[in-house]
């Protein structure tokens, strides 16, 4: 749903200009320093990017899902690490509070997240629990009006910068599966909470992840999201439904950027006496990529509209994430191929993008997890 076409158009125009003029020229700097420059972070705040999806009542822009995916198409055209910096505040770090938090929790945290005063992280993955999220081992044991949290969370995006963590932990050890899990908001300076060293990743330099370690961390009981035990896994899954659609949209934007770069290269690069864009084998790669990007874009917009209508989009979000991220990988590969040897050296952005986009097929649920979700939903519906 697009509430006002003109307002959205203005926002997209502003973002397009910002991406072209402020972000793309600084991609190498971001990668080399492995840090988002401080002045860029200030510009994120000024543009309201930390609160794109949070409701206006809490200081955000309150974008609908269809508006959000349009914004993600634009932001996807530059290094993913830029978007990642404010991505958790708009997505996995805040949405659990928004969807299932108490009004007091929303009032307390969402305005600070929307303004970018506070950053948030989503703590689900553990050393021994990745795809099998319901097997997580972190515990939260109630002691009077507190919970004591123990465990380790792994690969946590933005953990080094976050002021709060939404943490999935087992409150009922007798229930081994998802029903024993609850979600908490844990503040960074709570005693016992510490961070591991930063992970050295294949790509997405400038987006930081690390372990978050809980050693007898005492959290007030009113930090339990929604005040209800045992529903933390469902909160996490709802958060991921939305997050997966967002990642699909970012993948579309990234693929568009890579294809645009490859097209420009193919028009300039001459071999056998003419631009390589004139050769049909290059044209096939351009055409296949164009068609696949178009297909992914249509899927993402359709799924976003359905979410705005209030429909359950678990299947559509997984279809979009699976197709768009795999498409993005294929496009990255073809675009390296179009660049030839030049695609393998860091002078061209495609070398960096090739590594950066590899993560899309892994985080917020691997392709194989999306397949599992889609097929399970199909089977469940068929049985009804
Ligand atoms: N929305 C709301 N509820 C959901 C849901 C969703 N999208 N998906 C599942 N649930 C509910 C189920 O309805 C079920 O509830 P009941 O127990 O009341 O029936 C409960 O959650 C457990 O669901 P399920 O049985 O499907 O859980 P599984 O343990 O089989 O796991 C998968 C499901 C594998 C899909 C889940 O663990 C997953 O998504 N894993 C990947 C995790 C991930 O993406 N990690 C990335 C880290 S974050 S960057």
């Amino acid at each position: 749903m697009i509430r006002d076409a003109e307002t959205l158009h203005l926002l997209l125009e502003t973002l397009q200009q910002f991406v072209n003029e402020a972000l793309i020229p600084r991609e190498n700097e971001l990668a080399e320093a492995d840090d988002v420059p401080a002045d860029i972070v200030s510009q994120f705040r000024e543009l309201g990017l930390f609160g794109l999806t949070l409701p206006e009542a809490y200081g955000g822009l309150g974008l609908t899902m269809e508006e959000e995916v349009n914004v993600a198409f634009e932001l996807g055209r530059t290094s993913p690490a830029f978007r990642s910096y404010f991505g958790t505040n708009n997505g996995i770090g805040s949405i659990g509070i928004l969807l299932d938090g108490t009004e007091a929790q929303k009032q307390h945290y969402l305005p600070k997240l929307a303004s970018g005063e506070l950053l948030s992280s989503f703590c689900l993955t553990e050393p021994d629990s990745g795809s099998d999220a319901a097997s997580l081992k972190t515990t939260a044991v109630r002691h009077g009006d507190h919970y004591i949290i123990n465990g380790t969370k792994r690969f946590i995006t933005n953990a080094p910068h976050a002021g709060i963590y939404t943490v999935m932990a087992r409150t009922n050890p007798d229930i081994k599966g998802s029903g024993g899990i609850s979600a908490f908001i844990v503040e960074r300076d709570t005693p016992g909470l510490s961070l591991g060293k930063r992970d050295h990743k294949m790509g997405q330099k400038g987006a930081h992840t690390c372990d978050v370690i809980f050693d007898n961390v005492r959290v007030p009981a009113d930090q339990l999201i929604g005040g209800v035990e045992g529903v933390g896994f469902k909160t996490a899954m709802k958060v991921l439904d939305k997050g997966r659609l967002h990642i699909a949209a970012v993948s579309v934007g990234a693929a568009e950027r890579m294809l645009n770069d490859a097209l420009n290269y193919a028009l300039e690069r001459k071999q056998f006496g003419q631009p390589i864009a004139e050769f049909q084998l290059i044209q096939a790669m351009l055409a296949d990529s164009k068609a696949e990007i178009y297909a992914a874009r249509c899927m993402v917009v359709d799924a976003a509209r359905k979410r705005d209508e209030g429909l359950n989009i678990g299947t559509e979000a997984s279809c979009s994430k699976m197709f768009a991220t795999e498409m993005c990988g294929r496009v990255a590969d073809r675009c390296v191929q179009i660049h030839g040897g030049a695609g393998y050296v860091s002078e061209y952005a495609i070398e960096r993008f090739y590594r950066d986009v590899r993560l899309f097929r892994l985080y917020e649920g691997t392709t194989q997890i999306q397949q599992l979700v889609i097929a399970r939903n199909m089977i469940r519906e068929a049985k009804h």
Side-chain angles (χ1 to χ4, degrees):
M1 180 180 66
I2 291 173
R3 293 162 303 166
D4 178 49
E6 202 174 324
T7 311
L8 180 65
H9 181 71
L10 282 175
L11 175 65
L12 294 178
E13 246 182 13
T14 305
L15 290 177
Q16 189 179 43
Q17 193 182 358
F18 180 59
V19 167
N20 289 342
E21 294 173 13
L23 300 185
I24 290 178
R26 300 183 69 182
E27 289 175 349
N28 281 336
E29 181 189 340
L30 165 79
E32 275 159 28
D34 194 7
D35 231 335
V36 181
D39 66 300
I40 296 280
V41 174
S42 303
Q43 291 180 68
F44 290 161
R45 286 203 185 92
E46 283 158 26
L47 284 164
L49 295 180
F50 288 93
L52 288 167
T53 65
L54 296 173
E56 285 163 309
Y58 302 108
L61 297 183
L63 298 188
T64 65
M65 196 70 219
E66 188 176 356
E67 293 165 349
E68 178 184 336
V69 296
N70 276 282
V71 163
F73 292 150
E74 276 308 323
L75 296 169
R77 292 190 305 105
T78 186
S79 295
F82 284 128
R83 184 215 58 91
S84 191
Y85 198 89
F86 52 84
T88 45
N89 273 30
N90 286 295
I92 53 176
S94 67
I95 299 302
I97 303 173
L98 179 65
L99 293 179
D100 288 340
T102 63
E103 192 49 43
Q105 290 167 345
K106 293 184 207 181
Q107 299 273 1
H108 187 67
Y109 291 110
L110 296 183
K112 290 180 196 148
L113 294 176
S115 68
E117 178 191 335
L118 191 67
L119 260 67
S120 58
S121 284
F122 178 73
C123 298
L124 177 66
T125 301
E126 299 182 355
D128 295 323
S129 163
S131 290
D132 185 7
S135 70
L136 63 82
K137 292 190 181 123
T138 296
T139 53
V141 178
R142 182 126 193 184
H143 282 270
D145 54 2
H146 282 78
Y147 285 89
I148 311 288
I149 303 186
N150 278 292
T152 298
K153 296 293 180 175
R154 181 138 295 173
F155 307 142
I156 305 305
T157 302
N158 280 339
H161 311 291
I164 58 164
Y165 303 89
T166 51
V167 182
M168 269 47 72
R170 193 168 300 282
T171 41
N172 188 340
D174 298 332
I175 305 178
K176 297 283 173 234
S178 60
I181 297 170
S182 305
F184 296 88
I185 306 166
V186 183
E187 299 195 353
R188 168 73 184 89
D189 55 10
T190 316
L193 189 155
S194 63
L195 301 178
K197 63 176 172 41
R198 279 188 199 172
D199 301 315
H200 288 287
K201 307 191 306 311
M202 173 194 287
Q204 298 215 7
K205 303 288 181 198
H208 301 145
T209 63
C210 69
D211 281 2
V212 181
I213 302 145
F214 299 85
D215 181 11
N216 286 319
V217 174
R218 256 170 78 84
V219 176
D222 61 8
Q223 297 294 88
L224 173 67
I225 293 183
V228 187
E229 282 190 11
V231 293
F233 185 80
K234 288 184 185 173
T235 299
M237 290 298 117
K238 287 186 276 182
V239 166
L240 286 171
D241 280 348
K242 180 171 185 291
R244 287 167 180 170
L245 192 48
H246 183 93
I247 296 299
V250 173
S251 301
V252 169
E256 283 175 347
R257 161 69 185 282
M258 292 187 287
L259 185 58
N260 190 48
D261 282 9
L263 175 62
N264 288 336
Y265 183 82
L267 288 167
E268 279 164 21
R269 171 75 174 166
K270 289 199 176 69
Q271 285 295 280
F272 304 102
Q274 56 181 332
I276 62 169
E278 299 300 330
F279 293 112
Q280 290 180 343
L281 294 180
I282 297 287
Q283 290 175 357
M285 289 193 273
L286 293 172
D288 285 353
S289 300
K290 182 80 181 171
E292 288 191 46
I293 293 171
Y294 180 48
R297 187 182 255 268
C298 291
M299 282 175 86
V300 167
V301 169
D302 178 69
R305 286 183 181 151
K306 287 190 170 132
R307 188 174 190 278
D308 286 337
E309 282 169 31
L311 300 173
N312 180 339
I313 54 131
T315 301
E316 286 81 357
S318 286
C319 287
S320 301
K321 206 248 176 199
M322 174 175 82
F323 184 80
T325 61
E326 291 288 330
M327 171 283 291
C328 193
R330 288 191 294 274
V331 169
D333 193 66
R334 288 186 201 117
C335 291
V336 169
Q337 201 67 16
I338 291 170
H339 280 77
Y344 203 68
V345 296
S346 57
E347 187 187 341
Y348 291 90
I350 188 62
E351 183 271 336
R352 184 168 21 79
F353 264 91
Y354 182 81
R355 288 181 287 108
D356 285 352
V357 303
R358 189 62 184 81
L359 185 57
F360 294 155
R361 291 152 64 192
L362 302 172
Y363 66 2
E364 301 205 22
T366 59
T367 293
Q368 291 66 33
I369 286 297
Q370 310 312 325
Q371 290 175 314
L372 195 145
V373 171
I374 296 162
R376 277 189 183 181
N377 288 349
M378 287 170 66
I379 293 164
R380 194 172 303 135
E381 279 165 30
K383 282 183 179 166
H384 269 275

